[in-house]
Amino acid sequence: VSKTILKIVLVLVLLLVIVVATMPFWISPAARKAVEAGGTSAMGVKTTLAELDIGVFSGTCDLGGLNIANPEGFETPHFMNLGSGAVALDIQSLRKDVIEIPKFELTGLDLNLEKGSGQANYEKILENLSKLSTEEEKPKEEEPGKRFVIKEIVIKDVKVTAKMAGLTVPMKIDEMRLQNVGSEGEGVDLKKLIALIVSGVLKGVAEEGTGVLPEGISSSLNDGLNSLKGLGGHGEAAAKLIEDAGVDATKALDKAGDKLKGLTGK
């Protein structure tokens, strides 16, 4: 009997070792597909992610090559492209219904804003995001999948290109911070999390682009963001301008100082 028990224990240990050793190979692809499906569903355009690597032993999650396609009929190949991202991850937290992430860092975001005679590309994206803000909330016990809360998202090296009526205006934001994303209630699902991040980036760009972006783009972008009432309650976007093409250094410093006063209340 003792030998039989020993064999069972050895088999179980072996199975556990195999599961742990192969975990990165099945967790990472599943997570990458979930991000792609969530982004495509939220924004109504194809979303792809080239790399996503969850380090089970290192407790990290690295991603690269996140691409949000442009709606049909626009010049640039993408609406938004992200170079890389990294987050410290507590693997044990993946077992919980609500996953809390203290800080998520993203680097190298490229955003194209295009407005022609018809609807702008960002207007179509925001139109799709607005569907998330108006749909009825399901009772939490019926909501499948994990829910997320990210205390702070730091986005570095943001490049914006705005095109309207033959005019191209470049803009650069050195650093942008989105705070308390998904913090209202008990977190948000992956689809709404992606929507919050994208709308938060657009809000930051709209704030920093005042007086820099073409007026037609600036006004319609703000109008679209104001329609996302159901999303706005879940996250607060705060963007800090360090370097902005087309704005002289003195004006940039004054603008950064005004925003600092607004955030600190002093």
Side-chain angles (χ1 to χ4, degrees), residues 12 20 36 39 52 69 75 82 93 133 151 167 177 195 210 215 225 237 240 251 253 256 258:
L12 290 176
V20 172
E36 291 179 333
L52 191 149
E75 295 179 6
L82 175 67
S93 71
S133 65
K151 297 300 182 182
L167 177 66
R177 293 175 182 266
T210 302
E215 176 57 32
L225 288 166
K240 181 174 65 176
K251 187 175 180 180
L253 288 173
D258 289 341

Side-chain angles (χ1 to χ4, degrees), residues 14-37:
L14 180 60
L15 287 174
L16 180 61
V17 170
I18 292 173
V19 169
V20 172
T22 60
M23 193 177 292
F25 298 99
W26 52 267
I27 284 185
S28 296
R32 181 174 61 81
K33 290 180 180 179
V35 170
E36 291 179 333

Side-chain angles (χ1 to χ4, degrees), residues 48-117:
T48 57
L49 181 59
E51 302 174 15
L52 191 149
D53 181 28
I54 297 177
V56 175
F57 301 106
S58 62
T60 60
C61 178
D62 300 312
L63 60 87
L66 176 65
N67 188 84
I68 301 173
N70 237 337
E72 291 185 8
F74 293 93
E75 295 179 6
T76 50
H78 64 265
F79 168 67
M80 186 182 293
N81 185 276
L82 175 67
S84 61
V87 59
L89 189 64
D90 179 3
I91 299 300
Q92 295 298 322
S93 71
L94 296 178
R95 301 172 61 184
K96 300 177 181 178
D97 292 333
V98 179
I99 300 174
E100 293 191 8
I101 299 173
K103 191 174 184 179
F104 190 17
E105 293 191 358
L106 307 171
T107 305
L109 190 148
D110 185 46
L111 174 67
N112 290 303
L113 304 177
E114 292 184 54
K115 184 171 178 60
S117 56

